Structure formats: structure tokens, C-alpha cells
């Protein structure tokens, strides 16, 4: 859910593969507990790899701020001083202390106080080339860099989507095999050429060939602003 939130908040299209999602874990036991579901997580988030780290400061910066609703009755006039102390502290160090001990110690003019997770709000900002989200004590970081290969795989997934939509419009049974001719230019053409076997396999295309689009249905559409023509014929 956190990984999907990262995608939504940063407008990273669902069909665009990304290189890696990184889960912040407290220890090896937590890593093993999550890693057993790595295949499902990678598929759901459309990332090529799932990584783990116990050093979140490599990817994000943390800031702890008072939960005024909870701390107001507890600290009274000391709330502004608490806010100032938290803002001037090393956010990553405080986050690590909170994760390890379920509390942090903050020095105020009237003496030190201890704050628990429900008394502070953790805010984080990702460093360049990354995006992140946190919730319920979990942090997920996503590598947002998209190289040419990732971009072409994303375009290929869009082409698969267009073929599947055409199949649906033709009311073809799920298991029906088809013959596809296609016409495209630029990056879309290069993506199709690179991922032709995958596109054919996922769309049950017995043949998948470039050329003038012809068949029972000719679909004229666009992928990322570039024209694509698909000719689809059901196998007899």
C-alpha cells in the first residue's frame, strides 16, 4: 500500500516499470518476514527488484514534529520549546532512536522529557532520484529514475494494454489466439521490437509482425503521444 501511495503521489504510471523499491527494516527478522513475499510485492508495485535497508538516511530525511493534540495537555507552555528542540535536532537520529526504543529524549529549558510515537509526527522527504512514503512505522522508498530500457518496457506494457482492449472489443474468448500486424515509429516501434516476444505471449498472438495494419479489426491509437496502428485477426 505504501509503494502504491508513492506511485500515486508522484504520478508514476502503473504500467511504467521502475528499477527498485526499498523497504526500511529494523532488523534481519523483519527483512526475512517481508522478503518471503518479495515476488508478489515486486509484481504489485511493478518494480524489477525489492531491496532492504537499515539506513534510511541514505534515501530520505526525517523531521519529527509535536503532535499538538496529544502534547498540548502534557506540556502546556513548553510546547513551543519542544517544537523548536525537535526542529533543531538530527531528524534521522531521532527517528532511529524512536524505532529502537519506542521513545526519544528531548532537552527542554525546564529539563529533559521523553516523547513516545503517539506524541510526535514523523515527516519525511526523499532525496533526489527517490520518492518515499511512511505509515504505521513502515517506510518504503522507490527509485524514480527511468532509463531507456525501463521506458521501453513501459511502452511495451502500454502496447499490450491496447491489444487486450482490442481483443475485448472484438468479444474474443480468453483462449482465442490471434494474428497481429502493427505499425509504429520512434520509441514505440523500438519498444515493440525489443519486447515483441513478451507482447505476443501475453496477448496470445501466434504471429506479431510489423507492416500495414490489417485484419478483422484495425485499431488506430496512441501510446505516450505516438501513433500506433494494430491489425488483429482471430485464428481460425
Amino acid at each position: 500500500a505504501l509503494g502504491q501511495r508513492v506511485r500515486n503521489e508522484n504520478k508514476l504510471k502503473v504500467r511504467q516499470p521502475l528499477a527498485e523499491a526499498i523497504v526500511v527494516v529494523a532488523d534481519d527478522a523483519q527483512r526475512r518476514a517481508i522478503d518471503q513475499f518479495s515476488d508478489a510485492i515486486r509484481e504489485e508495485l511493478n518494480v524489477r527488484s525489492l531491496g532492504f535497508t537499515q539506513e534510511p538516511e541514505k534515501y530520505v530525511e526525517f523531521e519529527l514534529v509535536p503532535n499538538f493534540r496529544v502534547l498540548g495537555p502534557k506540556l502546556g507552555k513548553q510546547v513551543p520549546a519542544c517544537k523548536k528542540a525537535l526542529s533543531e535536532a538530527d531528524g534521522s537520529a531521532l527517528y532511529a532512536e524512536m524505532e529502537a526504543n519506542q521513545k526519544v529524549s528531548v532537552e527542554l529549558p525546564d529539563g529533559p522529557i521523553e516523547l513516545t510515537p503517539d506524541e510526535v509526527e514523523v515527516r519525511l522527504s526523499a532525496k533526489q532520484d527517490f520518492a518515499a512514503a511512511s505509515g504505521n512505522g513502515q517506510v518504503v522508498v522507490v527509485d524514480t529514475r527511468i532509463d531507456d530500457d525501463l521506458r521501453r518496457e513501459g511502452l511495451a506494457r502500454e502496447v499490450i494494454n491496447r491489444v487486450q482492449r482490442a481483443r475485448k472489443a472484438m468479444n474474443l474468448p480468453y483462449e482465442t489466439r490471434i494474428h497481429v500486424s502493427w505499425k509504429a515509429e520512434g520509441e514505440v516501434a523500438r519498444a515493440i521490437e525489443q519486447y515483441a516476444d513478451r507482447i505476443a505471449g501475453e496477448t496470445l498472438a501466434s504471429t506479431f509482425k510489423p507492416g500495414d495494419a490489417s485484419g478483422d479489426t484495425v485499431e488506430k491509437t496512441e501510446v505516450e503521444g505516438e501513433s500506433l496502428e494494430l491489425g488483429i485477426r482471430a485464428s481460425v
Side-chain angles (χ1 to χ4, degrees):
L2 288 175
Q4 297 288 13
R5 202 174 97 199
V6 174
R7 275 189 171 274
N8 292 337
E9 291 177 353
N10 292 274
K11 296 180 172 59
L12 298 167
K13 294 183 178 180
V14 173
R15 282 190 283 273
Q16 173 58 62
L18 299 173
E20 185 179 27
I22 303 155
V23 183
V24 177
V25 293
D27 50 39
D28 289 341
Q30 188 179 26
R31 172 176 179 157
R32 289 191 297 271
I34 298 172
D35 194 33
Q36 63 181 317
F37 302 107
S38 61
D39 288 346
I41 295 170
R42 285 191 296 103
E43 182 177 352
E44 287 291 326
L45 298 185
N46 193 11
V47 294
R48 288 184 173 175
S49 66
L50 183 68
F52 299 89
T53 185
Q54 291 176 243
E55 300 175 290
E57 63 276 5
K58 289 182 177 180
Y59 307 99
V60 297
E61 295 176 348
F62 292 93
E63 178 186 10
L64 273 64
V65 297
N67 181 335
F68 295 104
R69 181 179 59 82
V70 177
L71 279 180
K74 175 179 176 178
L75 296 182
K77 294 181 179 180
Q78 292 191 90
V79 168
C82 178
K83 179 181 178 182
K84 183 172 184 291
L86 289 174
S87 67
E88 294 176 348
D90 182 333
S92 294
L94 282 181
Y95 176 81
E97 181 183 345
M98 181 71 78
E99 286 296 292
N101 305 320
Q102 291 300 297
K103 62 183 179 180
V104 293
S105 179
V106 178
E107 192 69 37
L108 299 184
D110 292 345
I113 62 167
E114 288 187 343
L115 302 176
T116 59
D118 65 325
E119 293 174 333
V120 294
E121 177 186 346
V122 179
R123 297 176 181 174
L124 75 165
S125 56
K127 296 185 178 181
Q128 186 175 357
D129 297 325
F130 297 94
S134 65
N136 297 322
Q138 299 291 320
V139 176
V140 173
V141 182
V142 172
D143 187 337
T144 59
R145 293 169 289 189
I146 301 173
D147 60 18
D148 288 342
D149 188 46
L150 285 167
R151 185 173 292 105
R152 287 174 188 166
E153 184 182 349
L155 292 172
R157 286 173 176 260
E158 293 290 350
V159 172
I160 291 169
N161 172 260
R162 302 303 189 276
V163 176
Q164 300 289 39
R165 276 168 30 184
R167 285 182 61 106
K168 184 176 181 180
M170 294 170 70
N171 292 317
L172 294 178
Y174 174 78
E175 70 279 1
T176 300
R177 302 198 70 84
I178 57 176
H179 299 282
V180 180
S181 56
W182 60 269
K183 184 177 181 180
E185 296 179 352
E187 276 296 294
V188 173
R190 285 187 280 273
I192 293 174
E193 290 164 356
Q194 182 174 342
Y195 289 95
D197 290 344
R198 181 188 296 187
I199 297 171
E202 293 198 23
T203 59
L204 295 184
S206 298
T207 59
F208 187 78
K209 298 179 179 179
D212 290 334
S214 62
D216 301 332
T217 291
V218 175
E219 179 83 9
K220 294 184 178 181
T221 183
E222 287 189 353
V223 174
E224 297 297 320
E226 296 188 24
S227 64
L228 169 66
E229 292 186 18
L230 297 167
I232 300 174
R233 176 170 58 86
S235 293
V236 177

